[in-house]
Amino acid sequence: MSKSALIVVDIQNDYFPGGKWPLVGADAAADNAAKIIQATRDSNGLVVHIRHEFTREDAPFFTPNSEGAKLHPRVINQGEESVILKHFPNSFRETGLKALLDKEGVEELVVIGSMSHMCIDATTRAAADMGYKVRVIHDACASRDLEFNGTTVPAAQVHAAFMSALGFAYAEVMSTESLLNGQ
């Protein structure tokens, strides 16, 4: 049986109501993420938290050392769980994530978190390109409305488009319930 790891990407305070960059469905996604994290802990699985900080003080969100850049209380790391700081959408870029996964002999990843269209997408594609088998849990991820060429694209459509694209060639995309029921 291949060893797997749960990668919890950027579930941070600024993405929630009252934060600098709130996402649509952040609370529901965090509730599902918390269930997955607990199930992983209960099975003595590897949980790795990813935390984004921009390097500029004038960043729109996740400013260095801010309350908004901290992990959200629903998914805070416990015990020996690693927290990897990143400065780019791809959780592997200029971080120790790959070295940690290699040290632990990880071959499969479960990816949850935010934002579906940015860091979940970048991390999932990079992981697949590195040879990991990847599962993305769509209802433990959140996005936001985007704008393109004067048109607002609702968060639900943004999320669906990115999950569809990831499911086509980079990952198995499934629900929290399917993951927890072993489907």
Side-chain angles (χ1 to χ4, degrees), residues 13-22 57 59-63 66 68 144:
N13 292 330
D14 271 345
Y15 281 154
F16 289 83
K20 290 183 177 180
W21 204 257
E57 292 293 332
F61 57 98
F62 296 162
T63 54
S66 68
R144 63 180 288 142

Side-chain angles (χ1 to χ4, degrees), residues 3 20 28 67 91 153 161 182:
K3 184 163 183 181
K20 290 183 177 180
E67 194 62 32
S91 297
V153 182

Side-chain angles (χ1 to χ4, degrees), residues 117-133:
H117 65 277
M118 189 57 61
C119 298
I120 296 301
D121 181 63
T123 297
T124 299
R125 289 172 187 257
D129 286 346
M130 290 178 197
Y132 295 102
K133 177 182 177 191

Side-chain angles (χ1 to χ4, degrees), residues 64-135:
N65 304 308
S66 68
E67 194 62 32
K70 290 182 180 177
L71 294 177
H72 193 272
R74 281 193 204 126
V75 299
I76 198 84
N77 61 305
Q78 292 182 0
E80 301 284 318
E81 294 172 353
S82 295
V83 178
I84 299 206
L85 178 65
K86 70 177 178 70
H87 304 295
F88 301 97
N90 174 354
S91 297
F92 291 93
R93 183 177 171 189
E94 298 179 28
T95 72
L97 179 57
K98 181 149 181 13
L100 171 67
L101 298 174
D102 288 349
K103 178 181 162 217
E104 295 292 331
V106 171
E107 297 176 1
E108 298 180 8
L109 303 179
V110 173
V111 177
I112 60 175
S114 300
M115 293 186 286
S116 305
H117 65 277
M118 189 57 61
C119 298
I120 296 301
D121 181 63
T123 297
T124 299
R125 289 172 187 257
D129 286 346
M130 290 178 197
Y132 295 102
K133 177 182 177 191
V134 185
R135 288 180 285 171

Side-chain angles (χ1 to χ4, degrees), residues 1 38 56 148 166:
M1 182 180 232
Q38 191 58 55
R56 307 179 334 263
F148 177 72
L166 290 175

